[in-house]
Amino acid sequence: MKLLNKELEKAIATAIRRAQAAAELPEFEIPYIPVSPPRRADQGDLSYPAMGLAKLARRKPIEIANLIKERLPALEFSCAVEVAPPGFINCRIADDYLRRQVDNIIAEGEALFQLDIGAGKTAQVEFVSANPSGPVTIGHARGAVIGDAMARLLEAAGYAVQREYYYNNAGEQMVKLGESLRLRYLQQLGELVDLQAGYYQGEYLVDVAAELAAERGDSLRDSGWDYFRDAAEARMFDWIKRSLASIDIAHDAFYNETSLFESGKIWRALDTMRDNGHIYESAYWAGADADEIADVSAKGYQPATWFRSTTFGDEKDRVMVKSDGVPTYTLPDIAYHRDKLERGYAVAVNVLGTDHFSQAQVVKHGLRALGLDPAPIHVIFNQMVRAVRWNEERGEYEAVKQSKRAGDFDTLDDLVEMTSADAVRYHMLARSPNSQLDFDVDQVVRQSNENPVYYIQNAYVRCAGIFREARERGLDEAGADLGLLRADELQFIRKALELGNVIEQAVVNYEPHKLAFFAHELAAVFHPIYDRVRVLHSEVPLDTAKARLRYYRAAAVVFHRLLRLMGMSAPERM
């Protein structure tokens, strides 16, 4: 289906070129000025602000708008184009065009507003990417939902999408994980050993240790931490995959940071940066002041390998390899992203916590130091999330701590158990990732319009209920005269046609939360119309009932498409 805002933008560009050819406007490169809905419904459905052309055209905006209107080519979807001060070109969508879109929506079905922005291109979304040292936490869950929704949107825009999980099974964290499981295993054998401070205290390792003891008896008594690390990793990933699958998320690839060392990609990246003049050896960074140098000298620090990231606008240079020869986490990150670019993705999206902001900038500096353009890489940063409940006695929300097996944090499994997969998917997406999120576990399970999940899904459920009853009565849509649809139904179709633009903007601006916003807006248009527009009432003539049934069929297609783009289910009953 056509994006009407894009159709109007193209028509306006044509009109401007016509006016320029007629010497009514001076020659200038036409800037991109987006068409969007006007602020007030009585001003039309689409609006173009010609004020943005005033300096280029050296004319008053109202004069420019009138010139464009006069030169505008015919628009199949418009019944009226009007000019309003100080220079808006407002377009109204014709009722007949809206009626024709009912059949078009139904025909497109699951491919409704499938765009071609990414046709023939590949994209990658890397998300979650937590080390396999424990279950998926509530914090990880937000990034998981944002990442998967972004992947679904990119697919809707025509990209072939790969979902990737990047992790590290080496390093001190995994040593502690292996040693923690080893000690838990020995406890299962009856040995009196304690976990030291800083080790993994979560009860989930007790479960894993019990499984190992049941399977292997005491045959692992003399095994080292590395065996237990591998055993823990395998079981943690099984758990992680099951948890993500519970909210309809699956990754296509798991990329291990260790492979960057084994393949030599880390050292090749460092050599290239050195060859390009961006690496130096020193005990302190090149911009250190006298106090910093004195401090380093007093502590006897040995030379390390530094990246001259200040060349690319960083506030200070960064250590790539410590004086003991061990790389910092920055160097593998740069090598990993080099690998991404070499795989040829037109778009590579990373979903990261806000605490990774500085690191993400350094990685882009590193790519430039490698002679690469980091433009394909886009980062969506998400803030913290916590589960909360209202405390009547205190008169405030307080954090919920429900996990019995995970130590000192709540898991995605806990949240799904307390609420539902659909509630998790919607509410993790329903606010901008840049804002902190309090997940109200009481609100999201209410069967009322106060619960946006219920509110949106119930729109689809209401359509499904109409279809069931219509089948029971032997009513179908054959020969439906859509000319009988009136203002209420057309109001919904008019709003539904914005979905294509919402998908486009969410993809172009990497804002998957816009889907959740639009879904709620669309449901708010639908429900009052449902209360007024009856299909099976005895006073509704047969031909009108058929037309309305066809309308509800289109509404169901739109809501189903929206729900699946958000990774939510479309239940037939609630």
Side-chain angles (χ1 to χ4, degrees), residues 160-225:
V161 179
Q162 186 221 37
R163 295 162 170 82
E164 185 156 285
Y165 189 121
Y166 174 72
Y167 70 101
N168 177 18
N169 68 349
E172 186 63 25
Q173 275 190 332
M174 297 302 289
V175 172
K176 287 185 176 179
L177 178 68
E179 185 63 15
S180 299
L181 179 56
R182 188 183 73 83
L183 294 173
R184 289 298 193 191
Y185 168 77
L186 293 176
Q187 289 174 350
Q188 291 293 317
L189 300 184
E191 294 194 18
L192 299 177
V193 293
D194 293 321
L195 267 68
Q196 302 172 21
Y199 278 46
Y200 288 85
Q201 305 293 327
E203 289 292 311
Y204 62 90
L205 284 183
V206 176
D207 297 339
V208 176
E211 291 173 7
L212 286 174
E215 294 168 6
R216 301 293 300 274
D218 65 355
S219 65
L220 304 175
R221 185 186 298 273
D222 296 325
S223 297
W225 65 267

Side-chain angles (χ1 to χ4, degrees), residues 311-465:
T311 300
F312 303 95
D314 201 356
E315 60 183 359
K316 64 179 181 179
D317 294 342
R318 307 286 173 164
V319 175
M320 294 289 101
V321 183
K322 294 181 287 186
S323 58
D324 60 3
V326 177
T328 63
Y329 56 83
T330 304
L331 182 56
D333 265 7
I334 292 171
Y336 171 56
H337 285 82
R338 179 192 206 180
D339 181 78
K340 283 190 185 191
L341 294 179
E342 289 176 346
R343 282 185 265 168
Y345 297 115
V347 172
V349 180
N350 298 341
V351 181
L352 302 172
T354 52
D355 56 326
H356 290 268
F357 179 83
S358 294
Q359 174 71 0
Q361 311 315 309
V362 175
V363 167
K364 290 189 176 183
H365 299 329
L367 292 173
R368 293 186 180 96
L370 288 166
L372 299 172
D373 181 2
I377 295 173
H378 303 271
V379 184
I380 301 174
F381 294 103
N382 60 275
Q383 291 267 18
M384 293 176 60
V385 57
R386 64 173 186 160
V388 298
R389 277 198 166 113
W390 181 255
N391 186 312
E392 289 288 352
E393 293 182 4
R394 296 184 179 180
E396 63 183 11
Y397 283 103
E398 61 182 14
V400 177
K401 283 290 178 186
Q402 292 290 327
S403 182
K404 299 176 181 177
R405 313 299 294 170
D408 63 349
F409 50 83
D410 295 313
T411 69
L412 170 59
D413 294 345
D414 295 327
L415 203 56
V416 172
E417 184 178 346
M418 286 187 285
T419 58
S420 69
D422 287 333
V424 171
R425 293 282 319 212
Y426 180 81
H427 286 279
M428 292 295 182
L429 198 62
R431 294 191 66 183
S432 166
N434 292 323
S435 60
Q436 290 192 8
L437 173 62
D438 281 349
F439 188 105
D440 186 342
V441 297
D442 293 323
Q443 182 202 50
V444 303
V445 296
R446 291 192 188 114
Q447 295 286 300
S448 73
N449 288 341
E450 294 178 14
N451 174 6
V453 178
Y454 175 85
Y455 192 59
I456 295 164
Q457 287 182 321
N458 194 39
Y460 182 80
V461 169
R462 283 179 152 180
C463 294

Side-chain angles (χ1 to χ4, degrees), residues 144-160:
V145 170
I146 291 168
D148 189 63
M150 192 69 241
R152 290 168 187 260
L153 281 162
L154 287 165
E155 288 169 338
Y159 290 92

Side-chain angles (χ1 to χ4, degrees), residues 401-568:
K401 283 290 178 186
Q402 292 290 327
S403 182
K404 299 176 181 177
R405 313 299 294 170
D408 63 349
F409 50 83
D410 295 313
T411 69
L412 170 59
D413 294 345
D414 295 327
L415 203 56
V416 172
E417 184 178 346
M418 286 187 285
T419 58
S420 69
D422 287 333
V424 171
R425 293 282 319 212
Y426 180 81
H427 286 279
M428 292 295 182
L429 198 62
R431 294 191 66 183
S432 166
N434 292 323
S435 60
Q436 290 192 8
L437 173 62
D438 281 349
F439 188 105
D440 186 342
V441 297
D442 293 323
Q443 182 202 50
V444 303
V445 296
R446 291 192 188 114
Q447 295 286 300
S448 73
N449 288 341
E450 294 178 14
N451 174 6
V453 178
Y454 175 85
Y455 192 59
I456 295 164
Q457 287 182 321
N458 194 39
Y460 182 80
V461 169
R462 283 179 152 180
C463 294
I466 291 173
F467 304 148
R468 282 196 302 274
E469 189 172 349
R471 284 194 298 271
E472 291 171 2
R473 297 190 186 189
L475 176 66
D476 60 35
E477 305 142 65
D481 178 5
L482 298 179
L484 296 173
L485 298 180
R486 294 294 178 254
D488 274 338
E489 301 95 307
L490 299 186
Q491 178 189 359
F492 176 84
I493 299 299
R494 181 180 285 106
K495 182 67 177 178
L497 293 184
E498 294 178 19
L499 174 58
N501 187 47
V502 171
I503 293 172
E504 182 206 35
Q505 291 302 307
V507 167
V508 170
N509 297 317
Y510 304 95
E511 296 178 329
H513 60 283
K514 292 296 179 67
L515 275 178
F517 293 178
F518 180 74
H520 196 270
E521 290 174 3
L522 190 65
V525 173
F526 174 86
H527 287 299
I529 293 171
Y530 172 86
D531 292 336
R532 296 191 295 267
V533 178
R534 303 302 178 91
V535 175
L536 303 169
H537 195 280
S538 59
E539 295 181 3
V540 177
L542 179 61
D543 54 355
T544 301
K546 283 177 172 285
R548 290 178 175 177
L549 187 61
R550 192 70 175 163
Y551 152 73
Y552 280 111
R553 186 77 63 189
V557 167
V558 177
F559 280 111
H560 193 278
R561 174 66 158 159
L562 256 176
L563 288 165
R564 294 308 300 144
L565 282 172
M566 292 188 290
M568 296 168 62

